[in-house]
Amino acid sequence: MKLKMPGRVKWLAIAAVAVVVVLVMGNRDRSEEPAAVGPLDEVAKTTCDGFAEDYPDAKSRTARLALADRTATASSRTDNEAVEDRAGGLGRTAGDDTEWKAAAEALLKACRDSGWVEG
């Protein structure tokens, strides 16, 4: 027995499958893979310098959120994707000591991997 779909239903099914494929393929870019290290442009250098200088004093959640905000704002114009991504994620970790330290180290590593030297 052969089932025959009406033309309109068939095209709707094809469109639905296409939408699902596009959504699945689009979410691949948001994986947990580290961003590529980019150039240490002046914006990235300023971001790294400012964060490294203020990081030791950011002990409370409030201080960490303020530093995360300043760092994300400073990094928003860099061409260095790794520094920008790590700076943008700092605020989510401000409430937990372990997560904050890990995020801070990830940002500083992205800075160093780009050629930044603390000092």
Side-chain angles (χ1 to χ4, degrees), residues 38-113:
L40 185 67
D41 56 21
E42 192 59 37
V43 175
K45 181 182 180 319
T46 301
T47 300
C48 296
D49 287 342
F51 181 77
E53 182 179 330
D54 295 341
Y55 172 63
D57 296 327
K59 298 189 187 314
S60 70
R61 182 175 188 272
T62 303
R64 290 173 182 171
L65 284 171
L67 176 56
D69 186 48
R70 287 192 309 273
T71 304
T73 300
S75 71
S76 66
R77 294 178 318 277
T78 185
D79 290 329
N80 188 310
E81 290 180 32
V83 170
E84 183 179 19
D85 287 348
R86 301 303 181 277
L90 284 171
R92 292 187 296 271
T93 67
D96 182 89
D97 288 344
T98 304
E99 289 180 13
W100 172 255
K101 288 176 185 175
E105 284 305 315
L107 172 58
L108 293 172
K109 181 179 181 330
C111 291
R112 289 184 200 105
D113 289 351

